[in-house]
Amino acid sequence: FEVGDGPEYPILIYITVTFDAGAHGTFAGAQQQTTERVRRGTVLDATTVPTANANAGYAFTGWTPSNPVGHTVLAAITFTAQFDAREIGINVDNDGDITVTVPEGDSYNVDSNGTIVITLPDADPEDNITVTLPNNNWNYEISEDDDGNIIVIITRPATPGPGPGGPVGGGGGITVLPDTQVPLDPAPERFFAPYHNAFLVGSPDGTVRPQANITRAEVATILFRLLNDEFRASVWSQSNNFTDVSSDAWFNNAISTMSNAGIITGNNGAFRPNDAVTRAEFAAMIARFFTEFEAEDVSYFVDIEGNWAEDYINLIAQFGWIQGAGDGTFNPNAQMTRAEAAAIVNRMLERVIDGQDGLLYGRTRFPDVTNANAWYYLYLQEATHSTLFERQENGRVVWTTILPHLDWTVLERPHSTPRAIEAARQVQMEAADDVA
């Protein structure tokens, strides 16, 4: 007989398909791996694929390199189960910034009461979800919404107060105000100029010293410089009743004018110009511009009740300009830093930069403000530069031109007049044209 005679029988080829439970799961019987031998060309279906059970704190999300169901087996292959950590964390750092950590692909939002709602769309009610909170004052509950998504509802400490963002104006993060307090519009443009001129200057060594204290005289000078021309002229003064502010002091015009406007006060006849300003004092100086408003009967911070500046603090917290340390405190008697002062002023004047893209090349590089992730980085960029800008739909600003600094000294000499700033501003703009 010859080769080829007789009936033909197909050659059956079997291939091993391996299923691996990965680092964060197991299969039935606590197995880590299981195999199936199937004929070449088999299309895998759900009955062939084992159920991957997630370890505590994880949720099954799929397989790599692809979903086994529907796969045509032509060669040996291993499918590995993938899991996402169902770990949710709330962290409050030393600057008061709140970081919300959620599994990849999930989202969260903050409602008007400060409640953080995290949506886990692909979670299952039986998933193990680990929630780590800063302390026992925070609470959470896990439930299911109308769309079948698992949600984690995290409530912050019950004490009313602003959200994260750093002590007296730290970083960004979540700022939450009760609905009843949002509509107030203090209209700071009634008092302050629309120009975005630098109001903080560096030290002779080229540093800004963001964490250094700021003095009472420096704060009075900042506010004085930022006034609009009309209001400054209406309250202009070069004399005061303070025993420690002489007529030849560099800050005399600023302190005299701000005292005449009722914005700053002294104690026992003295102003203490070279003392570091406290958080309470700074809040009071800002709030005195807006005396027609009254703070609502709610305390934003647990440590200001009975403080002489309680109403002032609550008022500008109500405006959203100051924020606490994330633990419900304000620390009214602590000394204000230069970075904190810059943050508050920028918020009040709506001079908040729209992220890194809002800056321009050619800006001054300060050796002690190099960390672009620092909560105060953008606040100090705005505070130390004079610019033209465009306002975005979100209310934040994008620089379009960096200007030469305005010569503020024309307002600070013994024989200065309030209108001298107008000529200085013209010189500034002409110099900008020359540079352009």
Side-chain angles (χ1 to χ4, degrees):
F1 107 178
E2 298 179 1
V3 176
D5 291 343
E8 294 184 0
Y9 295 96
I11 299 175
L12 302 181
I13 300 175
Y14 284 85
I15 296 174
T16 299
V17 178
T18 303
F19 297 94
D20 192 298
H24 303 295
T26 59
F27 298 128
Q31 293 184 83
Q32 196 64 38
Q33 199 171 79
T34 183
T35 59
E36 295 283 344
R37 284 183 57 78
V38 301
R39 287 176 57 177
R40 186 176 186 274
T42 297
V43 177
L44 299 179
D45 59 24
T47 63
T48 313
V49 179
T51 299
N53 302 307
N55 294 340
Y58 292 86
F60 174 71
T61 58
W63 299 89
T64 59
S66 62
N67 185 354
V69 176
H71 177 80
T72 300
V73 180
L74 299 175
I77 187 170
T78 297
F79 294 97
T80 303
Q82 300 298 300
F83 301 87
D84 268 352
R86 287 295 177 196
E87 296 178 351
I88 295 170
I90 304 294
N91 179 66
V92 182
D93 66 18
N94 292 333
D95 291 325
D97 290 333
I98 291 182
T99 301
V100 181
T101 303
V102 300
E104 184 177 356
D106 299 329
S107 61
Y108 73 90
N109 62 73
V110 184
D111 68 19
S112 60
N113 295 315
T115 301
I116 301 170
V117 181
I118 300 171
T119 304
L120 312 175
D122 59 347
D124 184 272
E126 297 180 358
D127 284 348
N128 294 297
I129 299 173
T130 301
V131 181
T132 303
L133 303 176
N135 55 54
N136 292 332
N137 293 325
W138 294 66
N139 297 288
Y140 78 93
E141 63 176 317
I142 299 174
S143 61
E144 190 170 350
D145 66 14
D146 294 338
D147 297 323
N149 296 317
I150 300 304
I151 59 174
V152 181
I153 301 174
I154 299 175
T155 52
R156 299 161 63 178
T159 303
V168 197
I174 310 160
T175 302
V176 179
L177 296 175
D179 283 342
T180 57
Q181 296 160 349
V182 171
L184 287 183
D185 180 10
E189 63 272 13
R190 293 175 295 159
F191 309 107
F192 296 100
Y195 312 107
H196 285 197
N197 283 302
F199 57 87
L200 275 185
V201 296
S203 301
D205 62 359
T207 61
V208 178
R209 299 175 295 123
Q211 303 296 350
N213 299 328
I214 187 167
T215 68
R216 289 166 55 83
E218 289 171 335
V219 173
T221 300
I222 287 173
L223 297 177
F224 169 74
R225 289 176 173 179
L226 292 175
L227 297 176
N228 65 48
D229 296 350
E230 291 71 24
F231 183 72
R232 185 189 298 109
S234 71
V235 294
W236 176 266
S237 179
Q238 292 179 291
S239 62
N240 62 80
N241 295 321
F242 299 122
T243 59
D244 53 356
V245 180
S246 62
S247 60
D248 60 350
W250 68 267
F251 44 69
N252 173 63
N253 290 358
I255 291 175
S256 297
T257 298
M258 301 312 292
S259 175
N260 188 46
I263 303 302
I264 61 175
T265 61
N267 187 26
N268 295 323
F271 180 69
R272 298 177 292 111
N274 297 315
D275 284 3
V277 72
T278 67
R279 298 182 180 185
E281 291 169 342
F282 190 93
M285 292 181 191
I286 298 295
R288 290 190 186 113
F289 281 99
F290 309 100
T291 54
E292 72 272 34
F293 294 96
E294 291 185 6
E296 295 199 6
D297 189 19
V298 58
S299 183
Y300 279 79
F301 306 101
V302 298
D303 57 348
I304 64 172
E305 184 176 356
N307 186 281
W308 67 269
E310 179 180 5
D311 288 343
Y312 294 133
I313 295 168
N314 280 328
L315 181 61
I316 61 173
Q318 192 170 318
F319 293 150
W321 299 338
I322 60 170
Q323 301 170 353
D327 59 358
T329 62
F330 179 74
N331 300 320
N333 298 320
Q335 295 174 341
M336 175 77 71
T337 68
R338 290 164 62 84
E340 291 165 352
I344 296 170
V345 169
N346 283 334
R347 290 196 189 108
M348 176 179 67
L349 301 183
E350 297 184 335
R351 291 179 57 169
V352 178
I353 299 175
D354 194 20
Q356 297 289 325
D357 292 339
L359 300 172
L360 287 175
Y361 289 105
R363 63 185 183 273
T364 303
R365 307 286 180 162
F366 298 101
D368 55 345
V369 186
T370 57
N371 180 8
N373 294 317
W375 69 261
Y376 52 74
Y377 182 81
L378 292 177
Y379 289 124
L380 285 181
Q381 297 301 319
E382 178 67 19
T384 54
H385 289 84
S386 299
T387 64
L388 300 179
F389 63 94
E390 290 181 353
R391 190 167 300 281
Q392 306 303 293
E393 290 185 1
N394 61 9
R396 301 195 171 196
V397 300
V398 170
W399 292 354
T400 58
T401 305
I402 297 176
L403 301 174
H405 287 319
L406 187 62
D407 181 11
W408 295 111
T409 63
V410 300
L411 292 173
E412 297 164 356
R413 299 164 183 157
H415 301 293
S416 293
T417 63
R419 294 297 183 182
I421 196 65
E422 296 172 2
R425 189 174 295 116
Q426 183 176 351
V427 170
Q428 177 192 37
M429 298 308 297
E430 290 174 351
D433 291 340
D434 291 341
V435 171

